Coordinates of all heavy atoms in Angstrom, one line a residue:
M110 N 0.8 -1.2 0.0 CA 0.0 0.0 0.0 C 0.9 1.3 0.0 O 1.7 1.4 0.8 CB -0.9 0.0 1.2 CG -2.1 0.8 1.0 SD -3.3 1.0 2.3 CE -2.9 -0.1 3.6
A111 N 0.7 2.1 -1.0 CA 1.5 3.3 -1.1 C 0.9 4.4 -0.2 O -0.3 4.5 -0.1 CB 1.6 3.7 -2.5
I112 N 1.8 5.1 0.4 CA 1.4 6.2 1.2 C 1.5 7.5 0.4 O 2.6 7.8 0.0 CB 2.2 6.3 2.5 CG1 2.0 5.0 3.3 CG2 1.8 7.6 3.3 CD1 2.9 4.9 4.5
K113 N 0.5 8.1 0.2 CA 0.5 9.4 -0.5 C 1.0 10.5 0.4 O 0.5 10.7 1.5 CB -0.9 9.8 -1.1 CG -1.2 9.1 -2.4 CD -2.5 9.6 -3.0 CE -2.9 8.9 -4.2 NZ -4.1 9.3 -4.7
R114 N 2.0 11.2 -0.2 CA 2.5 12.3 0.6 C 1.8 13.6 0.2 O 1.9 13.9 -1.1 CB 4.0 12.5 0.3 CG 4.6 13.6 1.1 CD 6.1 13.7 0.8 NE 6.8 12.6 1.1 CZ 8.2 12.5 1.1 NH1 8.8 13.6 0.7 NH2 8.8 11.5 1.5
P115 N 1.1 14.3 1.1 CA 0.5 15.5 0.7 C 1.5 16.5 0.2 O 2.5 16.7 0.9 CB -0.2 15.9 1.9 CG 0.5 15.2 3.0 CD 1.0 13.9 2.4
S116 N 1.2 17.1 -0.9 CA 2.2 18.0 -1.5 C 2.3 19.4 -0.9 O 3.3 20.1 -0.9 CB 2.0 18.1 -3.0 OG 0.7 18.6 -3.2
K117 N 1.2 19.8 -0.3 CA 1.2 21.1 0.3 C 0.6 21.1 1.7 O -0.4 21.8 1.9 CB 0.5 22.1 -0.6 CG -0.9 21.6 -1.1 CD -1.5 22.7 -1.9 CE -3.0 22.2 -2.3 NZ -3.7 23.2 -3.0
S118 N 1.1 20.3 2.6 CA 0.6 20.2 3.9 C 1.2 21.3 4.8 O 0.6 21.7 5.8 CB 0.8 18.8 4.5 OG 2.1 18.5 4.5
L119 N 2.4 21.6 4.5 CA 3.1 22.5 5.4 C 2.8 24.0 5.0 O 3.0 24.4 3.9 CB 4.6 22.3 5.3 CG 5.1 20.9 5.9 CD1 6.5 20.7 5.6 CD2 4.7 20.7 7.3
G120 N 2.5 24.7 5.9 CA 2.1 26.1 5.6 C 3.3 27.0 5.6 O 3.3 28.1 5.0
T121 N 4.3 26.5 6.3 CA 5.5 27.4 6.3 C 6.5 27.1 5.2 O 6.8 25.9 4.9 CB 6.3 27.1 7.6 OG1 6.5 25.8 7.8 CG2 5.5 27.8 8.8
P122 N 6.9 28.1 4.5 CA 7.9 27.9 3.4 C 9.2 27.4 4.0 O 9.6 27.8 5.0 CB 8.0 29.2 2.7 CG 7.6 30.2 3.8 CD 6.6 29.5 4.6
V123 N 9.9 26.5 3.2 CA 11.2 26.1 3.7 C 12.2 27.2 3.4 O 12.5 27.5 2.3 CB 11.6 24.8 2.9 CG1 12.9 24.2 3.4 CG2 10.5 23.7 3.1
R124 N 12.7 27.6 4.5 CA 13.7 28.7 4.4 C 15.1 28.1 4.6 O 15.3 26.9 4.9 CB 13.5 29.7 5.5 CG 12.1 30.3 5.4 CD 11.8 31.4 6.4 NE 12.7 32.6 6.3 CZ 12.8 33.5 7.2 NH1 12.1 33.4 8.3 NH2 13.5 34.6 6.9
K125 N 16.1 28.9 4.3 CA 17.4 28.4 4.5 C 17.7 27.9 5.8 O 17.4 28.6 6.8 CB 18.4 29.6 4.2 CG 19.8 29.2 4.2 CD 20.7 30.4 3.5 CE 22.1 30.0 3.7 NZ 22.7 30.3 5.0
S126 N 18.2 26.7 5.9 CA 18.4 26.1 7.2 C 19.7 25.3 7.2 O 20.3 25.1 6.2 CB 17.2 25.1 7.4 OG 17.5 24.2 8.3
V127 N 20.2 25.1 8.4 CA 21.4 24.4 8.5 C 21.2 22.9 8.4 O 22.1 22.1 8.4 CB 22.1 24.7 9.9 CG1 22.6 26.2 9.9 CG2 21.3 24.4 11.1
T128 N 20.0 22.5 8.3 CA 19.7 21.1 8.3 C 20.1 20.5 6.9 O 19.9 21.1 5.9 CB 18.1 20.9 8.4 OG1 17.7 21.5 9.5 CG2 17.8 19.4 8.5
S129 N 20.8 19.4 7.0 CA 21.2 18.8 5.7 C 21.2 17.3 5.9 O 21.1 16.8 7.1 CB 22.7 19.2 5.4 OG 23.5 18.7 6.4
P130 N 21.1 16.5 4.9 CA 21.1 15.1 5.0 C 22.2 14.5 5.8 O 23.3 15.0 5.8 CB 21.2 14.6 3.6 CG 20.8 15.7 2.7 CD 21.2 17.0 3.5
G131 N 21.8 13.6 6.7 CA 22.8 12.9 7.5 C 22.8 13.4 8.9 O 23.3 12.8 9.8
L132 N 22.1 14.5 9.1 CA 22.1 15.0 10.5 C 21.0 14.2 11.2 O 20.0 13.8 10.7 CB 21.7 16.5 10.5 CG 22.7 17.5 10.0 CD1 22.1 18.9 9.9 CD2 23.9 17.5 11.0
R133 N 21.3 14.1 12.5 CA 20.4 13.3 13.4 C 19.2 14.3 13.6 O 19.3 15.4 13.8 CB 21.1 13.0 14.6 CG 20.3 12.2 15.5 CD 21.1 12.1 16.9 NE 20.4 11.1 17.7 CZ 20.8 9.8 17.9 NH1 22.0 9.5 17.3 NH2 20.2 9.0 18.6
H134 N 18.0 13.6 13.6 CA 16.8 14.4 14.0 C 16.5 14.2 15.5 O 16.5 13.1 16.0 CB 15.6 13.9 13.2 CG 14.3 14.6 13.6 ND1 14.0 15.9 13.3 CD2 13.4 14.1 14.4 CE1 12.9 16.2 13.8 NE2 12.5 15.2 14.5
V135 N 16.4 15.3 16.1 CA 16.2 15.3 17.6 C 15.0 16.1 17.9 O 14.8 17.3 17.5 CB 17.4 15.8 18.3 CG1 17.1 15.8 19.8 CG2 18.6 15.0 18.1
D136 N 14.0 15.5 18.6 CA 12.9 16.2 19.1 C 13.2 16.9 20.4 O 13.8 16.3 21.3 CB 11.7 15.4 19.3 CG 11.1 14.9 18.0 OD1 11.0 15.8 17.0 OD2 10.8 13.7 17.8
V137 N 12.9 18.1 20.6 CA 13.2 18.8 21.8 C 11.9 19.2 22.5 O 10.9 19.4 21.9 CB 14.1 20.1 21.6 CG1 15.4 19.7 21.0 CG2 13.4 21.1 20.7
S138 N 12.0 19.3 23.8 CA 10.9 19.7 24.6 C 10.5 21.2 24.5 O 11.4 22.0 24.3 CB 11.1 19.4 26.1 OG 11.3 18.0 26.3
V139 N 9.3 21.5 24.5 CA 8.9 22.9 24.4 C 9.0 23.4 25.9 O 8.8 22.7 26.8 CB 7.5 23.1 23.8 CG1 7.6 22.7 22.3 CG2 6.5 22.3 24.6
P140 N 9.3 24.7 26.0 CA 9.5 25.3 27.3 C 8.3 25.1 28.3 O 8.5 24.8 29.5 CB 9.6 26.8 27.0 CG 10.1 26.9 25.6 CD 9.5 25.7 24.9
H141 N 7.1 25.0 27.8 CA 6.0 24.9 28.8 C 5.9 23.4 29.3 O 5.1 23.1 30.3 CB 4.6 25.4 28.2 CG 4.1 24.5 27.2 ND1 3.5 23.2 27.4 CD2 4.0 24.7 25.8 CE1 3.1 22.7 26.3 NE2 3.4 23.6 25.3
Q142 N 6.7 22.5 28.7 CA 6.7 21.2 29.3 C 7.8 21.1 30.3 O 8.0 20.0 31.0 CB 7.1 20.2 28.1 CG 5.9 20.0 27.1 CD 6.4 19.1 26.0 OE1 7.5 19.1 25.6 NE2 5.5 18.2 25.6
M143 N 8.6 22.1 30.4 CA 9.8 22.0 31.3 C 9.5 22.7 32.7 O 8.8 23.7 32.8 CB 11.0 22.7 30.6 CG 11.3 22.0 29.3 SD 12.5 22.9 28.3 CE 14.0 22.6 29.3
V144 N 10.2 22.1 33.7 CA 10.0 22.6 35.0 C 11.2 23.3 35.5 O 12.3 22.6 35.5 CB 9.6 21.5 36.0 CG1 9.3 22.1 37.4 CG2 8.3 20.8 35.5
P145 N 11.2 24.5 35.9 CA 12.4 25.2 36.4 C 13.0 24.4 37.6 O 12.3 24.0 38.5 CB 11.9 26.6 36.9 CG 10.7 26.8 36.1 CD 10.1 25.4 35.9
G146 N 14.3 24.2 37.5 CA 15.0 23.5 38.6 C 15.2 22.1 38.3 O 16.0 21.4 39.0
E147 N 14.5 21.6 37.3 CA 14.6 20.2 37.0 C 15.8 19.9 36.1 O 16.2 20.8 35.3 CB 13.4 19.6 36.3 CG 12.1 19.5 37.1 CD 12.2 18.3 38.0 OE1 12.4 17.2 37.5 OE2 12.1 18.4 39.2
L148 N 16.3 18.7 36.2 CA 17.4 18.4 35.3 C 16.9 17.8 33.9 O 16.0 17.0 34.0 CB 18.4 17.4 36.0 CG 19.3 17.9 37.0 CD1 20.0 16.7 37.7 CD2 20.3 18.8 36.4
Y149 N 17.5 18.2 32.9 CA 17.1 17.7 31.6 C 18.3 17.3 30.8 O 19.3 17.9 30.9 CB 16.3 18.7 30.8 CG 15.0 19.1 31.4 CD1 14.8 20.1 32.3 CD2 13.8 18.3 31.1 CE1 13.6 20.4 32.9 CE2 12.6 18.6 31.6 CZ 12.5 19.6 32.5 OH 11.3 19.9 33.1
V150 N 18.2 16.2 30.0 CA 19.2 15.7 29.2 C 19.2 16.5 27.8 O 18.1 16.6 27.2 CB 19.1 14.3 28.9 CG1 20.2 13.8 27.9 CG2 19.3 13.5 30.2
G151 N 20.2 17.2 27.5 CA 20.2 17.9 26.3 C 21.5 18.8 26.3 O 22.5 18.5 26.7
W152 N 21.3 20.0 25.7 CA 22.4 20.9 25.5 C 22.0 22.3 26.1 O 20.8 22.6 26.2 CB 22.7 21.1 24.1 CG 23.1 19.9 23.4 CD1 24.3 19.3 23.2 CD2 22.3 18.9 22.7 NE1 24.3 18.2 22.5 CE2 23.1 17.9 22.2 CE3 20.9 18.8 22.6 CZ2 22.5 16.8 21.5 CZ3 20.3 17.7 21.9 CH2 21.2 16.7 21.4
L153 N 23.0 23.1 26.3 CA 22.7 24.5 26.7 C 22.7 25.2 25.3 O 23.6 25.0 24.5 CB 23.8 25.0 27.6 CG 23.7 24.4 29.0 CD1 24.9 24.9 29.8 CD2 22.4 24.7 29.7
C154 N 21.8 26.2 25.2 CA 21.7 26.9 24.0 C 23.1 27.7 23.7 O 23.6 28.2 24.7 CB 20.6 27.9 24.1 SG 20.4 29.0 22.6
K155 N 23.5 27.6 22.5 CA 24.8 28.3 22.1 C 24.7 29.8 22.1 O 25.7 30.5 22.2 CB 25.3 27.8 20.8 CG 25.8 26.4 20.8 CD 26.3 26.0 19.5 CE 26.9 24.6 19.5 NZ 27.4 24.1 18.2
R156 N 23.5 30.3 22.1 CA 23.4 31.7 22.1 C 23.6 32.3 23.5 O 22.9 31.9 24.4 CB 22.0 32.2 21.6 CG 21.8 33.7 21.5 CD 20.4 34.0 21.0 NE 20.4 34.2 19.6 CZ 19.4 34.7 18.9 NH1 18.4 35.2 19.6 NH2 19.5 34.8 17.6
K157 N 24.5 33.2 23.6 CA 25.0 33.7 24.9 C 23.8 34.3 25.7 O 23.7 34.1 26.9 CB 26.1 34.8 24.7 CG 27.4 34.1 24.4 CD 28.2 33.7 25.6 CE 29.3 32.8 25.3 NZ 30.2 33.3 24.3
S158 N 23.0 35.1 25.0 CA 21.9 35.8 25.6 C 20.8 34.8 26.1 O 19.9 35.2 26.7 CB 21.4 36.9 24.7 OG 20.8 36.3 23.5
C159 N 20.9 33.6 25.6 CA 19.9 32.6 26.0 C 20.4 31.7 27.0 O 20.2 31.8 28.2 CB 19.4 31.9 24.7 SG 18.1 30.6 25.0
G160 N 21.2 30.7 26.5 CA 21.9 29.8 27.4 C 21.0 28.8 28.1 O 21.4 28.2 29.1
L161 N 19.8 28.7 27.7 CA 18.9 27.8 28.4 C 19.0 26.4 27.9 O 19.6 26.1 26.9 CB 17.4 28.2 28.3 CG 17.1 29.6 28.9 CD1 15.6 30.0 28.6 CD2 17.3 29.5 30.4
V162 N 18.5 25.5 28.8 CA 18.6 24.1 28.4 C 17.7 23.7 27.3 O 16.5 24.0 27.2 CB 18.2 23.2 29.6 CG1 18.4 21.7 29.2 CG2 19.0 23.5 30.8
I163 N 18.3 23.0 26.3 CA 17.5 22.5 25.1 C 17.3 21.0 25.5 O 18.3 20.3 25.5 CB 18.2 22.6 23.9 CG1 18.4 24.2 23.5 CG2 17.4 22.0 22.7 CD1 19.3 24.4 22.3
A164 N 16.1 20.6 25.9 CA 15.9 19.3 26.4 C 15.5 18.3 25.4 O 14.6 18.7 24.6 CB 14.9 19.4 27.6
I165 N 16.1 17.2 25.4 CA 15.7 16.2 24.4 C 14.4 15.6 24.8 O 14.3 15.2 26.0 CB 16.8 15.1 24.3 CG1 18.1 15.7 23.8 CG2 16.3 14.1 23.3 CD1 19.3 14.8 24.0
S166 N 13.4 15.5 23.9 CA 12.2 14.9 24.2 C 12.4 13.4 24.4 O 13.2 12.8 23.7 CB 11.2 15.1 23.1 OG 10.7 16.4 23.1
P167 N 11.8 12.8 25.4 CA 11.9 11.4 25.6 C 11.4 10.7 24.3 O 10.3 11.1 23.8 CB 11.0 11.0 26.8 CG 10.5 12.3 27.3 CD 10.9 13.4 26.4
P168 N 12.1 9.7 23.9 CA 11.6 9.0 22.7 C 10.3 8.3 22.9 O 10.0 7.9 24.0 CB 12.8 7.9 22.4 CG 13.4 7.8 23.7 CD 13.3 9.1 24.4
P169 N 9.6 8.1 21.9 CA 8.3 7.3 22.1 C 8.5 5.9 22.6 O 9.5 5.3 22.2 CB 7.7 7.3 20.7 CG 8.7 7.8 19.7 CD 9.8 8.6 20.5
A170 N 7.7 5.5 23.5 CA 7.9 4.2 24.1 C 8.0 3.0 23.2 O 8.8 2.1 23.3 CB 6.8 4.0 25.1
A171 N 7.3 3.1 22.1 CA 7.2 1.9 21.2 C 7.7 2.5 19.8 O 7.8 3.6 19.6 CB 5.9 1.4 21.1
G172 N 8.0 1.5 19.0 CA 8.4 1.9 17.7 C 9.8 1.7 17.4 O 10.2 0.8 16.7
K173 N 10.6 2.5 17.9 CA 12.1 2.4 17.7 C 12.8 1.7 18.9 O 12.8 2.2 19.9 CB 12.7 3.8 17.6 CG 12.1 4.6 16.4 CD 12.6 6.0 16.5 CE 11.8 7.0 15.7 NZ 12.1 8.4 16.0
P174 N 13.2 0.5 18.7 CA 13.8 -0.2 19.7 C 15.2 0.2 19.9 O 16.2 -0.1 19.3 CB 13.9 -1.7 19.2 CG 13.8 -1.6 17.7 CD 13.1 -0.2 17.4
G175 N 15.4 1.1 20.9 CA 16.7 1.6 21.3 C 17.3 2.5 20.3 O 17.6 2.2 19.2
L176 N 17.5 3.8 20.7 CA 18.0 4.7 19.8 C 19.5 4.3 19.5 O 20.2 3.9 20.4 CB 18.0 6.1 20.4 CG 16.7 6.9 20.3 CD1 16.8 8.2 21.1 CD2 16.3 7.2 18.9
T177 N 19.8 4.4 18.2 CA 21.2 3.9 17.9 C 22.2 5.0 18.3 O 22.1 6.1 17.9 CB 21.3 3.7 16.4 OG1 20.7 4.8 15.7 CG2 20.6 2.4 16.0
E178 N 23.1 4.6 19.2 CA 24.1 5.5 19.6 C 25.3 5.3 18.6 O 26.2 4.7 18.9 CB 24.5 5.2 21.0 CG 23.4 5.3 22.0 CD 22.9 6.8 22.2 OE1 23.8 7.6 22.1 OE2 21.8 7.0 22.5
S179 N 25.2 5.9 17.5 CA 26.2 5.7 16.5 C 27.2 6.9 16.4 O 27.2 7.7 15.5 CB 25.6 5.5 15.1 OG 24.7 6.5 14.8
G180 N 28.0 7.0 17.4 CA 29.1 8.0 17.4 C 28.7 9.4 17.5 O 27.7 9.7 18.2
D181 N 29.5 10.2 17.0 CA 29.4 11.6 17.2 C 28.6 12.3 16.1 O 29.2 13.1 15.3 CB 30.8 12.2 17.4 CG 30.8 13.5 18.1 OD1 29.7 13.9 18.6 OD2 31.8 14.2 18.1
Q182 N 27.3 12.1 16.1 CA 26.5 12.7 15.1 C 26.2 14.2 15.5 O 26.1 14.6 16.7 CB 25.2 12.0 15.0 CG 25.4 10.7 14.2 CD 24.0 10.0 14.0 OE1 23.5 9.5 15.0 NE2 23.4 10.1 12.9
L183 N 25.9 15.0 14.5 CA 25.5 16.3 14.7 C 24.0 16.4 14.5 O 23.4 15.6 13.8 CB 26.2 17.2 13.7 CG 27.6 17.6 13.9 CD1 28.1 18.4 12.7 CD2 27.8 18.4 15.2
A184 N 23.4 17.2 15.3 CA 22.0 17.4 15.2 C 21.7 18.9 15.1 O 22.3 19.7 15.8 CB 21.3 16.9 16.5
A185 N 20.9 19.3 14.1 CA 20.5 20.6 14.0 C 19.3 20.8 14.8 O 18.3 20.2 14.7 CB 20.2 20.9 12.5
I186 N 19.5 21.7 15.8 CA 18.4 21.8 16.8 C 18.1 23.3 16.9 O 18.9 24.2 17.0 CB 18.9 21.3 18.2 CG1 19.1 19.8 18.1 CG2 17.9 21.7 19.3 CD1 19.6 19.2 19.3
K187 N 16.8 23.5 16.9 CA 16.3 24.9 17.1 C 15.9 25.1 18.6 O 15.1 24.4 19.1 CB 15.0 25.0 16.2 CG 14.6 26.5 16.1 CD 13.5 26.6 15.0 CE 13.1 28.1 14.8 NZ 12.1 28.2 13.8
C188 N 16.6 26.1 19.2 CA 16.2 26.3 20.6 C 14.8 26.7 20.7 O 14.3 27.6 20.1 CB 17.1 27.5 21.1 SG 16.8 27.9 22.8
P189 N 14.1 26.0 21.6 CA 12.7 26.3 21.9 C 12.5 27.6 22.6 O 11.4 28.1 22.7 CB 12.2 25.1 22.7 CG 13.4 24.6 23.4 CD 14.6 24.9 22.5
H190 N 13.6 28.2 23.1 CA 13.4 29.4 23.9 C 13.6 30.6 23.1 O 12.9 31.6 23.2 CB 14.5 29.3 25.1 CG 14.4 28.0 25.9 ND1 13.4 27.7 26.7 CD2 15.2 27.0 25.9 CE1 13.6 26.6 27.3 NE2 14.7 26.1 26.7
C191 N 14.7 30.7 22.3 CA 15.0 31.8 21.5 C 14.9 31.6 20.0 O 14.9 32.6 19.3 CB 16.5 32.3 21.9 SG 17.8 31.2 21.3
G192 N 14.7 30.4 19.6 CA 14.4 30.1 18.2 C 15.7 30.0 17.4 O 15.6 29.9 16.2
D193 N 16.8 30.1 18.0 CA 18.1 30.1 17.3 C 18.3 28.6 16.9 O 18.3 27.7 17.7 CB 19.2 30.6 18.2 CG 20.2 31.5 17.5 OD1 19.7 32.1 16.4 OD2 21.3 31.5 17.8
E194 N 18.7 28.4 15.6 CA 19.0 27.1 15.2 C 20.6 26.9 15.1 O 21.2 27.8 14.6 CB 18.4 26.8 13.9 CG 18.5 25.3 13.6 CD 17.7 24.9 12.4 OE1 18.1 25.2 11.2 OE2 16.6 24.3 12.5
D195 N 21.0 25.9 15.6 CA 22.5 25.6 15.6 C 22.8 24.1 15.6 O 21.9 23.3 15.8 CB 23.2 26.3 16.8 CG 24.6 26.8 16.4 OD1 25.3 26.2 15.6 OD2 24.9 27.9 17.0
L196 N 24.0 23.8 15.4 CA 24.4 22.4 15.4 C 24.9 22.0 16.8 O 25.7 22.7 17.4 CB 25.5 22.1 14.4 CG 25.0 22.2 12.9 CD1 26.2 22.2 12.0 CD2 24.0 21.2 12.5
Y197 N 24.5 20.8 17.2 CA 24.9 20.4 18.5 C 25.4 18.9 18.3 O 24.8 18.1 17.6 CB 23.8 20.4 19.5 CG 23.4 21.8 19.9 CD1 22.4 22.4 19.1 CD2 23.9 22.4 21.0 CE1 22.1 23.7 19.3 CE2 23.5 23.7 21.2 CZ 22.6 24.4 20.4 OH 22.2 25.6 20.7
R198 N 26.5 18.6 19.0 CA 27.0 17.2 19.0 C 26.2 16.3 19.9 O 25.9 16.6 21.0 CB 28.5 17.2 19.4 CG 29.4 17.8 18.4 CD 30.8 17.4 18.7 NE 31.7 18.1 17.8 CZ 32.0 17.6 16.6 NH1 31.5 16.5 16.2 NH2 32.7 18.3 15.8
W199 N 25.8 15.2 19.3 CA 25.0 14.3 20.1 C 25.7 13.8 21.3 O 25.2 13.6 22.4 CB 24.6 13.1 19.2 CG 23.7 12.1 19.8 CD1 24.1 10.8 20.2 CD2 22.4 12.3 20.3 NE1 23.0 10.2 20.8 CE2 21.9 11.1 20.9 CE3 21.5 13.3 20.2 CZ2 20.7 10.9 21.4 CZ3 20.2 13.2 20.8 CH2 19.8 12.0 21.4
S200 N 27.0 13.6 21.1 CA 27.8 13.1 22.2 C 28.1 14.2 23.3 O 28.5 13.8 24.5 CB 29.1 12.5 21.7 OG 29.9 13.6 21.2
A201 N 27.8 15.4 23.0 CA 28.1 16.4 23.9 C 26.9 16.7 24.9 O 26.9 17.6 25.7 CB 28.5 17.7 23.2
R202 N 25.8 16.0 24.6 CA 24.6 16.3 25.5 C 24.9 15.9 26.9 O 25.8 15.0 27.2 CB 23.4 15.5 25.0 CG 23.5 14.0 25.2 CD 22.5 13.3 24.2 NE 22.4 11.9 24.6 CZ 23.3 11.0 24.3 NH1 24.4 11.3 23.7 NH2 23.1 9.7 24.6
G203 N 24.2 16.4 27.9 CA 24.4 16.1 29.2 C 23.3 16.6 30.1 O 22.2 17.1 29.5
E204 N 23.4 16.4 31.3 CA 22.3 16.8 32.2 C 22.5 18.3 32.6 O 23.5 18.7 33.1 CB 22.2 15.9 33.4 CG 21.6 14.6 33.2 CD 21.2 14.0 34.5 OE1 21.8 14.2 35.5 OE2 20.2 13.2 34.4
H205 N 21.5 19.1 32.4 CA 21.5 20.5 32.7 C 20.3 20.9 33.5 O 19.1 20.4 33.2 CB 21.6 21.3 31.5 CG 22.8 21.0 30.7 ND1 24.1 21.4 31.0 CD2 22.9 20.3 29.5 CE1 25.0 21.0 30.1 NE2 24.3 20.3 29.2
K206 N 20.4 21.8 34.4 CA 19.3 22.3 35.2 C 18.6 23.4 34.4 O 19.3 24.3 33.9 CB 19.7 22.7 36.6 CG 18.5 23.1 37.4 CD 19.0 23.7 38.8 CE 19.3 22.6 39.8 NZ 19.5 23.1 41.1
Y207 N 17.3 23.3 34.2 CA 16.6 24.3 33.6 C 16.3 25.5 34.5 O 15.7 25.4 35.5 CB 15.2 23.7 33.2 CG 14.4 24.7 32.4 CD1 14.9 25.6 31.4 CD2 13.0 24.9 32.8 CE1 14.0 26.5 30.8 CE2 12.2 25.8 32.1 CZ 12.7 26.6 31.1 OH 11.9 27.5 30.5
A208 N 17.0 26.6 34.1 CA 16.9 27.8 35.0 C 16.6 29.0 34.2 O 17.4 29.8 33.9 CB 18.3 28.0 35.7
P209 N 15.3 29.2 33.9 CA 14.9 30.3 33.1 C 15.0 31.6 33.9 O 14.9 31.6 35.1 CB 13.4 30.0 32.8 CG 13.0 29.1 33.9 CD 14.2 28.3 34.3
G210 N 15.3 32.6 33.2 CA 15.5 33.9 33.9 C 16.7 34.1 34.7 O 16.8 34.9 35.5
G211 N 17.7 33.1 34.5 CA 19.0 33.2 35.2 C 18.8 33.1 36.7 O 19.5 33.8 37.5
L212 N 18.0 32.2 37.1 CA 17.8 32.0 38.5 C 19.1 31.4 39.2 O 19.8 30.6 38.6 CB 16.7 30.9 38.8 CG 15.3 31.3 38.4 CD1 14.3 30.1 38.6 CD2 14.8 32.5 39.3
A213 N 19.4 32.0 40.3 CA 20.6 31.5 41.0 C 20.3 30.3 41.9 O 19.3 30.2 42.4 CB 21.2 32.6 41.9
T214 N 21.2 29.4 41.9 CA 21.0 28.1 42.5 C 19.8 27.3 42.1 O 18.8 27.6 42.5 CB 21.1 28.2 44.0 OG1 20.1 29.1 44.5 CG2 22.4 28.8 44.5
Ligands
ZN350 ZN1 18.2 29.6 23.0

């Protein structure tokens, strides 16, 4: 059974992006899903004025048996906080505390 791909389902035009074939696709959590003070696995935004945690969304429970940890892949990730898109190394991810507004401690 062939799956028809809708030709014009996306309302947003594809603009110049750093995304290219071979990059890992990573879903990130949206800010309203995140709790200040909680630890999240992901990266810190590369934008100095932002620097908030970009949290990796937990993978769906079923479907993909074990994400393949295949080395040092790059992922093009758009920061859910400031909207800046940049490349992040998959192996560089770590646990970071979500501290919006520059909360101390
Ligand atoms: Zn950011």
Side-chain angles (χ1 to χ4, degrees):
M110 204 182 347
I112 299 171
K113 275 188 182 174
R114 179 185 297 190
S116 56
K117 50 174 182 177
S118 60
L119 298 174
T121 50
V123 180
R124 303 180 68 188
K125 186 166 171 283
S126 159
V127 294
T128 309
S129 64
L132 288 174
R133 188 189 187 98
H134 175 76
V135 178
D136 289 317
V137 297
S138 297
V139 293
H141 71 74
Q142 291 177 318
M143 300 170 71
V144 180
E147 287 286 304
L148 283 174
Y149 292 91
V150 175
W152 301 266
L153 293 175
C154 179
K155 287 185 178 178
R156 182 180 270 195
K157 285 274 166 48
S158 60
C159 179
L161 292 177
V162 182
I163 300 171
I165 301 169
S166 289
K173 301 172 199 167
L176 283 173
T177 48
E178 302 289 331
S179 53
D181 200 5
Q182 283 182 287
L183 282 174
I186 294 174
K187 191 172 187 177
C188 176
H190 309 288
C191 66
D193 220 30
E194 191 172 76
D195 214 325
L196 293 173
Y197 294 85
R198 286 190 186 279
W199 182 247
S200 63
R202 72 198 189 285
E204 282 197 329
H205 301 284
K206 186 183 276 188
Y207 178 47
L212 293 174
T214 57

